[in-house]
Amino acid sequence: QGSLYVAWAGNQPNGVYFSRSLAERAASVTEWITPQLLPAPRESATWPSVVSDGESTIYVAYTIPLNEDRGIYLTRSEDDGDSWSDAIMAFDGIDAGWDLIGPATLTRTADGTLHLLWTRWTQLPEMQAVALAYARSDDDGQTWSEPEIVTEEPVLGSSILGVQERFV
């Protein structure tokens, strides 16, 4: 629809921020809306992933990597980023017994299904991704499938892309 969206992890306070601009005016800093701190259960949210439905709905998934509330979350805006839903937990790292959760990648297929891919990290002997998990939502991110472990081998990199109706 001619807009650019950006989400990033910032500080003061720590969390995920969002802004947008018309693409044709994005070169000017004054054309971007004032950055908004997105809803999160606490301030340590990081690693955002943004996807749009091509109309006015924007989804942002992010990670709270450790300690309380660790997991993968999703918030959405149905008005081009002017307002945001409360954070919805897509994956509960505490219930799953994961000590450290890596970045999530979010995509959407043409049928409206949201797809998440994320890593499990270990801190010892060195920080590395040791598993890859996947979940999907068929109801606009309100509920998520049980996570499926894609691999429990070290992961050097991962990404996910939605193509057509139901291909990822």
Side-chain angles (χ1 to χ4, degrees):
Q1 297 294 322
S3 292
L4 294 178
Y5 305 124
V6 63
W8 68 95
N11 54 19
Q12 319 231 346
N14 293 332
V16 171
Y17 291 81
F18 172 85
S19 186
R20 74 166 189 275
S21 173
L22 292 175
E24 62 194 29
R25 297 182 181 175
S28 171
V29 70
T30 60
E31 296 297 324
W32 289 84
I33 66 169
T34 302
Q36 301 174 46
L37 180 63
L38 297 183
R42 63 186 179 101
E43 289 184 353
S44 63
T46 189
W47 297 314
S49 180
V50 181
V51 72
S52 168
D53 70 353
E55 298 293 326
S56 60
T57 303
I58 306 162
Y59 306 88
V60 177
Y62 58 83
T63 303
I64 295 181
L66 43 96
N67 298 330
E68 292 179 30
D69 300 315
R70 66 184 173 271
I72 307 296
Y73 292 85
L74 179 97
T75 184
R76 75 173 178 278
S77 171
E78 296 178 350
D79 54 13
D80 278 327
D82 290 333
S83 61
W84 292 87
S85 70
D86 290 337
I88 297 166
M89 182 178 267
F91 172 71
D92 187 332
I94 294 173
D95 281 356
W98 290 24
D99 293 330
L100 186 58
I101 302 162
T105 304
L106 179 67
T107 193
R108 183 177 180 275
T109 46
D111 67 352
T113 303
L114 296 170
H115 305 267
L116 272 170
L117 191 68
W118 69 96
T119 54
R120 178 181 189 171
W121 282 9
T122 183
Q123 293 184 29
L124 300 173
E126 62 185 63
M127 189 176 291
Q128 64 178 357
V130 295
L132 187 63
Y134 165 86
R136 71 182 171 284
S137 172
D138 296 320
D139 60 5
D140 224 22
Q142 292 296 315
T143 61
W144 291 86
S145 65
E146 285 295 316
E148 298 177 39
I149 301 301
V150 177
T151 185
E152 289 187 295
E153 298 292 327
V155 177
L156 299 178
S158 63
S159 188
I160 190 168
L161 176 66
V163 180
Q164 298 177 347
E165 289 292 315
R166 295 195 58 88
F167 295 101
V168 292

